[in-house]
């Protein structure tokens, strides 16, 4: 019996036992959620905008545990216009931060940098208006970089680490691949990719879409004219290789680590597309 057959039997048995210790998404994909423009406020700024002693009131829970959309909304004002009814998310944070899209930014005449949420140092100035007052800050306005929240067991399954950047392909009528997607790992997180409305619009992406991590390796540098192009095998580092991965990977040779589960459908698809799956230790 060849090694792949053995791997497959092991994988099937593990699946039947419900083992593998990780609640793996059955197909190796990641749920994608679209973040509309929103703000996070410090307690001080909640009071400045909504009145002394004011506290945010919960409207609905968000997918990440403990996070919620509040009933409160603010206006974000810029030199060329303003964004009305921008939702405040709770709970309050130490630092106030406003996350808008590039389309929003052009509309109101500001140029926020692309940032990881929470990193507002030297970001763009922002003015917010609430029912009881306004706040103008020298920094705090960003365009949020696409990221994936995951728990440590998800990170192990996908073979990624906190802070790493990966490429993600999201299937749709107009499929979209997003590079430099930041991995964020915490016990508090639930597996979910967050993109903004510009990214969602570019890829016709609606709630319920699924993303696939394509790579966590740096691409072969393509500086200078390449005289002789060597075709390198694609190194697949996740724990589960599904049909969608095979379809998304351009290389004809896919190297997977021993222990990686390759679904029978993935094997069939590889065969159909003339791709070779090789196991390494
Ligand atoms: Zn997020």
């Amino acid at each position: 019996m060849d090694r792949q057959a053995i791997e497959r039997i092991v994988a099937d048995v593990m699946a039947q036992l419900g083992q593998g210790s990780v609640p793996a998404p059955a197909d190796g994909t990641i749920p994608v959620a679209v973040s509309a423009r929103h703000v996070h406020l410090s307690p001080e700024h909640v009071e400045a905008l909504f009145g002394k002693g004011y506290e945010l009131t919960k409207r609905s829970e968000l997918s990440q545990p403990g996070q919620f959309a509040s009933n409160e909304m603010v206006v974000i004002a810029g030199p060329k216009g303003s964004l009305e009814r921008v939702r405040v998310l709770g709970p309050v944070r130490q630092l106030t931060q406003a996350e808008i899209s590039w389309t929003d930014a052009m509309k109101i005449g500001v140029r926020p940098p692309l940032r990881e949420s929470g990193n507002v140092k030297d970001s763009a100035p922002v003015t917010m208006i609430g029912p009881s007052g306004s706040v103008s800050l020298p920094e705090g306005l960003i365009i949020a970089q696409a990221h994936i929240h995951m728990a440590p067991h998800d990170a192990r399954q996908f073979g990624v680490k906190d802070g790493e950047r990966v490429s993600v392909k999201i299937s749709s009528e107009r499929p979209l691949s997003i590079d430099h997607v930041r991995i964020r790992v915490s016990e508090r997180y639930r597996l979910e990719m967050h993109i903004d409305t510009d990214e969602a619009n570019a890829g016709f992406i609606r709630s319920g879409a699924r993303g696939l991590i394509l790579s966590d390796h740096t691409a072969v540098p393509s500086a200078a004219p390449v005289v002789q192009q060597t075709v390198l095998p694609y190194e697949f580092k996740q724990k589960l290789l599904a049909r969608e991965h095979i379809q998304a990977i351009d290389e004809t040779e896919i190297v997977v680590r021993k222990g990686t589960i390759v679904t029978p459908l993935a094997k069939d698809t590889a065969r159909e597309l003339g791709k070779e799956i090789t196991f390494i230790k």
Side-chain angles (χ1 to χ4, degrees):
M1 200 186 304
D2 69 26
R3 198 197 224 159
Q4 288 193 20
I6 294 169
E7 295 281 352
R8 182 149 127 197
I9 290 166
V10 170
D12 288 348
V13 170
M14 276 173 62
Q16 279 164 25
L17 292 174
Q19 258 188 23
S21 72
V22 290
D27 56 359
T29 62
I30 295 167
V32 177
V34 183
S35 299
R37 65 182 83 96
H38 63 269
V39 302
H40 300 277
L41 299 175
S42 67
E44 171 203 350
H45 293 146
V46 170
E47 291 202 339
L49 295 163
F50 297 97
K52 186 126 188 69
Y54 196 90
E55 284 185 23
L56 297 177
T57 57
K58 190 183 289 187
R59 180 176 191 253
S60 59
E61 306 264 346
L62 298 177
S63 55
Q64 294 303 316
Q67 304 295 303
F68 63 90
S70 77
N71 291 301
E72 288 71 29
M73 288 184 280
V74 295
V75 173
I76 296 178
K80 286 211 275 182
S82 58
L83 304 166
E84 313 285 327
R85 300 170 61 83
V86 179
R87 186 72 58 188
V88 179
L89 302 191
V92 289
R93 287 189 179 185
Q94 209 174 346
L95 286 177
T96 289
Q97 170 180 311
E99 300 174 40
I100 64 175
S101 71
W102 187 247
T103 303
D104 292 335
M106 288 193 293
K107 184 183 165 209
I108 65 171
V110 293
R111 288 183 164 260
L114 184 67
R115 287 288 179 83
E116 186 175 0
S117 177
N119 176 13
V120 292
K121 181 122 182 61
D122 299 324
S123 57
V126 60
T127 296
M128 287 172 289
I129 304 161
S132 298
S134 67
V135 170
S136 280
L137 303 172
E139 60 187 26
L141 186 65
I142 64 166
I143 292 171
Q145 181 149 42
H147 55 274
I148 305 172
H149 294 273
M150 58 173 73
H153 67 256
D154 299 312
R156 282 194 292 279
Q157 190 210 336
F158 289 110
V160 296
K161 291 192 171 64
D162 185 49
E164 193 173 320
R165 287 153 177 252
V166 297
S167 297
V168 177
K169 180 167 185 176
I170 305 172
S171 303
S172 74
E173 194 185 341
R174 193 162 73 182
L176 181 72
S177 291
I178 305 178
D179 295 339
H180 299 169
V181 178
R182 195 75 167 224
I183 299 290
R184 303 180 66 177
V185 181
S186 165
E187 290 286 0
R188 296 175 296 126
Y189 289 156
R190 184 167 300 162
L191 181 65
E192 193 170 65
M193 177 175 184
H194 288 171
I195 59 174
D196 75 6
T197 46
D198 279 352
E199 288 162 325
N201 292 342
F204 288 10
I205 296 159
R206 295 186 197 94
S207 292
R210 315 284 299 188
L212 267 181
I213 295 181
L214 287 185
S215 70
D216 56 351
H217 59 231
T218 24
V220 181
S222 61
V226 178
V227 179
Q228 196 181 4
Q229 189 147 6
T230 321
V231 180
L232 294 172
Y234 182 95
E235 192 183 348
F236 185 81
K237 293 184 180 173
Q238 300 171 48
K239 293 260 160 67
L240 183 101
L241 181 63
R243 177 178 59 169
E244 289 81 3
H245 291 114
I246 303 281
Q247 290 167 334
I249 293 166
D250 292 330
E251 287 83 347
T252 51
E253 188 184 353
I254 301 165
V255 173
V256 297
R257 288 177 186 171
K258 197 166 166 246
T260 299
I261 297 166
V262 180
T263 67
L265 211 50
K267 285 182 188 170
D268 292 346
T269 307
R271 212 172 297 126
E272 278 163 27
L273 299 175
K275 297 185 185 214
E276 197 187 342
I277 301 171
T278 315
F279 282 88
I280 54 160
K281 280 204 175 160

